[in-house]
């Protein structure tokens, strides 16, 4: 499989909730470059923990219609980059979000060896927040 095909397959399996099948596309020593306070995650077990927290955690438990729509894929050599829209509807509030995100993978021998991701979490939080209260006319 090409890196672009591996990338598409990972998204398909993650959105279908088929985590074990998705994990089969990862190198045992995969590095997930997360940045922030948590730093990078190393290995399939760390990736599994991330996916399970997302799929079974409080965030996704309160959402339906979670989707990833790839707007553009660019692949070169071992790398595949997606610009995509992540979307979903929060059950507890009925509010929806749709934000632009990007991620990049490096694939060797059909397995992901590195991953980077960026999501506009500020825009997502703003879309899910209650509307600002109108000032009263006092």
């Amino acid at each position: 499989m090409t890196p672009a095909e591996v990338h598409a397959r990972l998204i398909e399996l993650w959105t279908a909730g088929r985590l074990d099948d998705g994990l089969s596309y990862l190198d045992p020593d995969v590095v997930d470059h997360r940045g922030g306070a948590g730093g990078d995650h190393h290995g399939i077990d760390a990736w599994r923990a991330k996916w399970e927290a997302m799929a079974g955690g409080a965030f996704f438990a309160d959402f339906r219609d979670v989707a990833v729509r790839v707007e553009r894929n660019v692949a070169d050599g071992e790398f595949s980059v997606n610009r995509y829209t992540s979307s979903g509807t929060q059950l507890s509030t009925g509010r929806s979000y749709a934000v632009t995100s990007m991620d990049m993978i490096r694939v060797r021998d059909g397995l992901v060896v590195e991953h980077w991701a960026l999501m506009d979490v500020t825009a997502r939080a703003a879309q899910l927040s209650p509307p600002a209260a109108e000032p009263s006319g006092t």
Side-chain angles (χ1 to χ4, degrees):
M1 281 185 142
T2 68
E5 291 168 331
V6 170
H7 213 167
R9 188 74 174 135
L10 280 174
I11 292 169
E12 173 190 342
L13 293 169
W14 181 80
T15 56
R18 295 175 49 195
L19 305 184
D20 286 331
D21 292 336
L23 294 171
S24 72
Y25 288 89
L26 303 180
D27 184 86
D29 297 319
V30 63
V31 178
D32 190 13
H33 300 284
R34 304 303 294 167
D40 293 347
H41 299 166
H42 297 267
I44 290 177
D45 290 339
W47 195 293
R48 177 188 302 279
K50 173 186 74 168
W51 272 10
E52 286 175 350
M54 290 166 48
F59 179 81
F60 280 92
D62 192 28
F63 283 84
R64 67 170 157 58
D65 305 329
V66 174
V68 174
R69 185 179 69 245
V70 175
E71 308 290 345
R72 182 73 152 149
N73 173 270
V74 177
D76 183 37
E78 293 183 324
F79 292 91
S80 173
V81 180
N82 283 331
R83 180 179 57 81
Y84 55 93
T85 299
S86 299
S87 60
T89 303
Q90 191 172 33
L91 296 170
S92 61
T93 66
R95 290 187 201 69
S96 296
Y97 74 93
V99 295
T100 300
S101 304
M102 293 184 77
D103 78 333
M104 177 170 70
I105 61 172
R106 185 165 66 95
V107 175
R108 188 182 317 128
D109 298 325
L111 299 176
V112 176
V113 294
E114 288 185 276
H115 173 255
W116 299 261
L118 299 169
M119 176 184 276
D120 191 345
V121 294
T122 303
R124 181 180 67 192
Q127 291 173 39
L128 295 173
S129 295
E134 294 289 326
S136 61
T138 49

